[in-house]
Amino acid sequence: MKMFLRNVISVLGSSLVGVGVGLCVTTGLGADALGVLWEGLAKHLPITVGQASLLVTCTCLIIVALIDKKELGLATLLNPIATSIFTDLMIKYVAIQSGMPVKLVLVVVGISFIGIGSGIAAATNAGKEGYIALSFALSKRLTVDLAKVRMGLDMICFVTGMVLGGQFMVGPIIGVLLIGPLLKMTSQYCGKKMQPLLS
């Protein structure tokens, strides 16, 4: 029962990530740095952006499996599905017709949802989505602060995506600055709050 509850909470966190990604996309200002990397890869390989995201996820999972298998679990498979469903729902049903100041605020809100949702999902220890699992595994292996590891990975993805021809947008820049710290703070806070419930 407790493992079921862990997976439910993890999926809810990943659903919030999807809402955040979808909200950012609807503003036209972009979401996180991974999106820039996917776009850049799709321009240089005979694959779609969606296939590029799958390629990056699989690569992350392989690295994590070699570094720390404990970061993987059932939610590793469930969470990307929840994220993609809620991303698509937001893009399909939410239209942003506001001016640039409102769009910037919505991007910050969306990016915050990505960081907070990722932290909630990670705190359950039911298995982490590939990129998040990579952040945690590298943080433990290198004994470097989680927020700094995530910010570093986001920066690498953003720069690599730009070099490969990805589109420059404001969202990924905000994502580089916010997601790492929010992921760390939320996962620590929720981990403490959920420990009595899930232990």
Side-chain angles (χ1 to χ4, degrees):
M1 185 64 182
K2 288 179 180 177
M3 183 51 69
F4 174 76
L5 187 58
R6 285 177 186 273
N7 282 295
V8 169
I9 295 171
S10 188
V11 167
L12 289 174
S14 292
S15 300
L16 183 60
V17 173
V19 171
V21 172
L23 186 60
C24 290
V25 171
T26 56
T27 66
L29 300 178
D32 60 358
L34 274 176
V36 182
L37 178 60
W38 298 339
E39 186 183 353
L41 288 171
K43 287 188 176 183
H44 290 269
L45 298 173
I47 56 176
T48 65
V49 173
Q51 290 168 340
S53 73
L54 185 60
L55 175 64
V56 171
T57 298
C58 289
T59 303
C60 290
L61 290 176
I62 291 169
I63 296 171
V64 172
L66 295 172
I67 298 175
D68 188 0
K69 291 180 183 177
K70 292 178 183 176
E71 298 296 340
L72 307 178
L74 179 59
T76 303
L77 301 175
L78 297 177
N79 290 0
I81 297 171
T83 298
S84 63
I85 289 171
F86 279 87
T87 297
D88 288 345
L89 286 173
M90 289 295 293
I91 292 170
K92 185 175 182 179
Y93 294 110
V94 177
I96 309 295
Q97 305 293 340
S98 306
M100 186 57 71
V102 174
K103 286 183 177 181
L104 284 171
V105 170
L106 291 175
V107 165
V108 172
V109 171
I111 292 293
S112 298
F113 283 175
I114 295 171
I116 293 168
S118 297
I120 293 170
T124 64
N125 287 322
K128 301 174 181 71
E129 177 272 324
Y131 191 57
I132 298 169
L134 180 61
S135 301
F136 275 82
L138 287 175
S139 175
K140 289 178 184 175
R141 175 58 66 95
L142 303 174
T143 60
V144 177
D145 180 73
L146 174 63
K148 292 177 181 176
V149 170
R150 177 59 187 251
M151 291 173 78
L153 287 174
D154 284 346
M155 183 59 73
I156 290 168
C157 289
F158 179 71
V159 172
T160 303
M162 290 296 298
V163 169
L164 292 174
Q167 188 177 353
F168 180 85
M169 288 188 273
V170 176
I173 297 292
I174 297 172
V176 169
L177 298 174
L178 284 185
I179 293 176
L182 285 172
L183 168 63
K184 177 189 173 184
M185 287 188 293
T186 307
S187 64
Q188 289 178 341
Y189 177 80
C190 290
K192 291 176 183 176
K193 291 294 182 181
M194 285 190 271
Q195 191 171 8
L197 181 66
L198 301 178
S199 59

